[in-house]
Amino acid sequence: MTGSFGIEAMSSDYDRSSFSCGNPALDRYLREQATQDMKRLISSCFVLIDKRSQRVAGYYTLAATSVLAEDLPADTLKKLPRYPVLPAALVGRLAVDLAYKRRGLGGVLLADAALRITNGDVRAFAIVVDAKDDDAAAFYRAQGFLPLASRPMSLFLPLATFRKASSGKA
């Protein structure tokens, strides 16, 4: 990522104590739980660093998950193998510090997650998110995510859609 920000795997090098996104559970997760989840191989955490101040401006987590084929729209399903369960990657948490809101950084974090999944050795057909509230669901829908049939607050974005958009073939 260019400019005054960079995204890196979280490490103890970064001071996370002042991070505040307005959601105490997301703030607490970054400060108290993220490193434990990484050590236990539950998820990976990536931080968006303001290079000027070395402040954590945002973060997201990635973990493995799966999606029931019956939860997918017919037009998505027809492009996939006929497996009852399909591999996906879960963005379990995503947050931007209040001081950095309204700069498009949430979308930047999602794009970074999609690139990491697309360029990784383990394959997944989509990114899945569990929206915490209606505002979060609206944000994800604006990024192109679609709701799963049985769980409307769980949304997915096929990585083929991301690849098309990022290659300019959308």
Side-chain angles (χ1 to χ4, degrees):
M1 178 178 189
T2 61
S4 63
F5 293 97
I7 299 176
E8 304 172 11
M10 190 179 73
S11 73
S12 59
D13 295 341
Y14 300 111
D15 178 15
R16 303 178 308 266
S17 63
S18 65
F19 183 85
S20 177
C21 69
N23 181 317
L26 291 171
D27 297 342
R28 188 174 34 260
Y29 178 84
L30 181 64
R31 286 192 304 270
E32 301 173 14
Q33 187 68 39
T35 53
Q36 292 176 22
D37 282 356
M38 290 172 66
K39 287 177 187 173
R40 293 179 180 143
L41 304 178
I42 301 300
S43 66
S44 297
C45 184
F46 299 91
V47 290
L48 175 68
I49 301 299
D50 181 336
K51 292 179 184 176
R52 293 173 298 212
S53 65
Q54 291 301 299
R55 186 172 173 191
V56 176
Y59 77 95
Y60 70 90
T61 62
L62 275 180
T65 192
S66 59
V67 175
L68 293 173
E70 64 193 37
D71 277 348
L72 300 172
D75 60 326
T76 300
L77 201 52
K78 71 181 179 185
K79 300 172 190 170
L80 298 170
R82 299 202 186 286
Y83 299 138
V85 178
L86 296 155
L90 175 68
V91 173
R93 290 171 178 80
L94 184 144
V96 174
D97 190 283
L98 290 170
Y100 297 91
K101 292 277 187 190
R102 307 283 181 238
R103 297 187 193 182
L105 297 177
V108 169
L109 288 167
L110 281 174
D112 187 76
L115 280 172
R116 288 180 193 275
I117 297 161
T118 301
N119 295 335
D121 291 336
V122 176
R123 296 292 174 218
F125 92 96
I127 298 173
V128 174
V129 296
D130 292 319
K132 303 296 183 213
D133 55 33
D134 290 335
D135 289 340
F139 165 75
Y140 289 120
R141 283 192 300 273
Q143 303 297 316
F145 282 72
L146 304 167
L148 293 172
S150 68
R151 301 176 291 153
M153 293 298 277
S154 293
L155 301 101
F156 77 101
L157 177 71
L159 286 167
T161 302
F162 170 77
R163 283 193 296 270
K164 265 189 212 172
S166 64
S167 70
K169 297 177 184 174

